[in-house]
Amino acid sequence: MADRSTAAVGVANESGEPPPTVQQDGATPDETTDQNNPQDARDAPQDEAAAEQHKGDSKPPELHSGHKLARRYQLEECVTRLDGFSSWRAVDEKLRRAVGIHLLPADHARARQVLAAARSAALLGDPRFVQVLDAVEENDLVYVIHEWLPDAAALSDSLAAGPLEPHDAYQMVSQVSQAMAAAHREGLAHLRLSPGSILRTGSGQYRIRGLAVTAALRGLKSERPQREDTEAIGALLYASLTRRWPYEEDAYGLTGLPKAVGLVAPDQVRAGVHRGLSEIAMRALVNEGATASREESPCTTPEELARAVAGLPRIKPPEPDISPYQRTTYQQGPYRQPPATPRPAPAPPAPPPALPGRTGKVLKWAVSALLIAALGLGSWQLADTLMGREEQNKDDTGTSQRAGQDPSSAAPGTPLAISSASEFSPLDAPIAADKVAFAVDGKADTSWITSNYKGQSNFGNLPNRIQGSGIIVDLGSRRKVTGIDLTMWVPGQTVEVLAAAPDASQPTALAAFPQRFAPAAKAGSTVQVTAGQPVETRYVLIHITDLPPESGGGFRGGITEIKVLGNS
């Protein structure tokens, strides 16, 4: 993606289309389209000449479920078919994951605009947006590949169950306004933020889909992109608080406001609405100078809106509901069970009748005495047994061992000589191949260190880095490896230790290391691995799959020292 993306500006300029800045932006293929939505009519292509040319020259690609693109992406389900383009859920057979794909003919009037928009969105690399993975023109088709989040629920699905709690509405407007402020600082706008373009993941993070691509697909432009996106965020907050759309028209499955009433503050539409959030929504929805009940200045940019939200007093999350069938405002999936009718708790069993006064006291004392005697006898026998075993160990070995410990496990082996080391670089994408020797030179002040990756901790989620990286150690010949000691450049990296087959020769692919010393786990400053049984191999791979965040931004990791232990 890095090689294709760096050419994005050049492609846009050569095609004669403006780059995908705040003039245009986009969506993702998994966002469904409401054909009866008045917003769709307002979002019709604003370039009438281009629209006419599109109607006359281009048709949606004649594709079907099961069709494969680039011998890799198999189309599964068409989600949207509109205005000469289609959006699909697909499977990336190479990486075995679901993806979304936008498809349109290469001669479509907006094909170049879509390519430029997608590549600019990919360069942003902000994890708060659904990431564009690739943008390609091939075989008379233009297609844009992006993330598919199967565990995320759209805001429209949440609102179908009811308005959000104040804390959830606060999190939504805070995260979305901050993300859009960052996008506008890079010259990118959305222009079609809607309840369907806001996703909430299982961890509570809100992700925005459609940056740069939806507007390009639909031919949307704006002279005031920041104002338009800010007002859209205000509408999302209004809908989250009231479950009403803040305009007269019904839209996105929400009922609009009564006609001739005008824009009414959310706390006047529904009882119990948080006053501060109500005023924030009105400040973002300000129209022709109208403001909320308090004379606060309007918010006209996502940056101003984010600052206004940050200035609110802390909003506490709701108390957890401990009922067996908790109802939430988030999508629970098709397998949720309806709340069960509460059943009265069974009456507790009646206690047994008490023994007569003096007889009961005598029996209690007798039982207590027997229990104390039994405990004392058992403790004495256990102590005698343990002392006898320890004396036996002293007689046999001259020293004391823990019960059950294998004496040979105390020393996993001696350091083995390392013949050479090389960088694990999938798809021939080296990071710092000339610094690998620093990880096996026995010095604590030298290290092999990765590049700084933006956006995501799995090496930026780049196609040529999806398998991670690391160092392959060559022991020169087959040796029986019993352990590995690692000193990491920084804690927090996810590391696994693998071994090649005994007969392997200069392995470079991940599949060539089938034996596992240690599963992938987050490591501290040091890692010590001991094999249950000696592993015969010549090559050991220290494989890093996830990087920790760096203080200056981005993600970076590395290895300071590697020691391989074995039987000499």
Side-chain angles (χ1 to χ4, degrees), residues 289-311:
T291 61
S293 56
R294 291 175 54 188
E295 293 300 323
E296 299 283 355
S297 59
C299 299
T300 58
T301 68
E303 189 82 43
E304 293 176 357
L305 182 58
R307 285 199 298 267
V309 174

Side-chain angles (χ1 to χ4, degrees), residues 13 41 54 95 190 214 401 521 524:
N13 292 339
H54 160 66
L95 299 180
H190 196 292
T214 295
Q401 298 282 349

Side-chain angles (χ1 to χ4, degrees), residues 386-387 389-403 405 407:
L386 292 176
M387 291 177 65
R389 288 184 180 179
E390 187 156 340
E391 289 296 328
Q392 182 180 358
N393 285 339
K394 288 183 179 180
D395 294 340
D396 294 342
T397 64
T399 184
S400 175
Q401 298 282 349
R402 291 183 184 176
Q405 180 179 359

